[in-house]
Amino acid sequence: MFTLKRSLQNKLIMLALLPAVVITSILTVYMATTRIDDIESLTREKADAIAQQIASDNVTTIFTRNKPQLEKKIETYFAAYDDLMDVNIFSSDTLFSHSKSKNNPIIAPQVSATSDIKMPVSSDSLDDFDFHEADIQTSSSVIGTVQIWLADKS
């Protein structure tokens, strides 16, 4: 009789704990995948922001094709961002490429981002000195692209 009660008691405990274990497992998997997705999206956003920053900071340098100055500026980005692996800058007839991974191959997955290099262009001729700022229309002309690769250390 004692073994029958014990067996029934174990079955009731298992029956009561099983839903809690299943729900806990499902919530753990959900929370882990959500956090991983958040980290991946933040890494992609960081890569986009760095690419846009490099593009906007180097418009004049790329337009004037000042390669030594461009190399100097890109080196500062490599020093500032330890996960920045490659920077490629494409223009109409030039290509600048700098890679940290040539010397230090990385096995980790990488995230890439691309941003256009835009040169502001004014469509209004400023021949007369009687102009109003509201009348001046500016647009931008794409003079190249920046492509970067970040090591995904998540």
Side-chain angles (χ1 to χ4, degrees):
M1 186 75 161
F2 179 70
T3 58
L4 183 61
K5 284 184 182 180
R6 184 85 171 148
S7 174
L8 183 60
Q9 185 179 13
N10 286 342
K11 287 181 182 179
L12 287 174
I13 289 173
M14 287 302 293
L15 188 61
L17 290 179
L18 185 63
V21 169
V22 169
I23 289 173
T24 303
S25 299
I26 290 171
L27 284 175
T28 301
V29 169
Y30 171 75
M31 293 301 284
T33 56
T34 303
R35 292 288 109 200
I36 290 171
D37 290 344
D38 289 345
I39 290 171
E40 287 175 353
S41 68
L42 287 174
T43 304
R44 272 187 248 108
E45 288 175 13
K46 179 181 179 183
D48 288 338
I50 292 172
Q52 289 173 1
Q53 182 181 7
I54 290 173
S56 65
D57 286 351
N58 294 299
V59 171
T60 307
T61 310
I62 293 166
F63 185 72
T64 59
R65 308 216 188 292
N66 188 347
K67 194 167 184 173
Q69 181 67 23
L70 184 61
E71 288 176 2
K72 192 178 188 183
K73 284 184 172 184
I74 297 301
E75 281 298 324
T76 61
Y77 288 108
F78 278 106
Y81 302 105
D82 61 338
D83 52 351
L84 183 61
M85 293 291 113
D86 294 322
V87 175
N88 297 317
I89 298 175
F90 304 96
S91 188
S92 60
D93 60 348
T94 60
L95 165 69
F96 174 79
S97 181
H98 190 76
S99 177
K100 187 191 295 185
S101 59
K102 289 178 187 173
N103 303 332
N104 185 11
I106 298 241
I107 299 172
Q110 295 186 350
V111 176
S112 72
T114 304
S115 180
D116 289 335
I117 304 165
K118 297 178 181 178
M119 182 77 157
V121 178
S122 175
S123 62
D124 188 21
S125 63
L126 302 176
D127 293 337
D128 59 349
F129 292 104
D130 187 29
F131 69 91
H132 304 283
E133 285 187 28
D135 296 338
I136 298 174
Q137 306 238 341
T138 59
S139 62
S140 58
S141 175
V142 176
I143 61 171
T145 13
V146 172
Q147 180 184 31
I148 67 163
W149 292 88
L150 290 181
D152 187 6
K153 297 182 178 181
S154 56

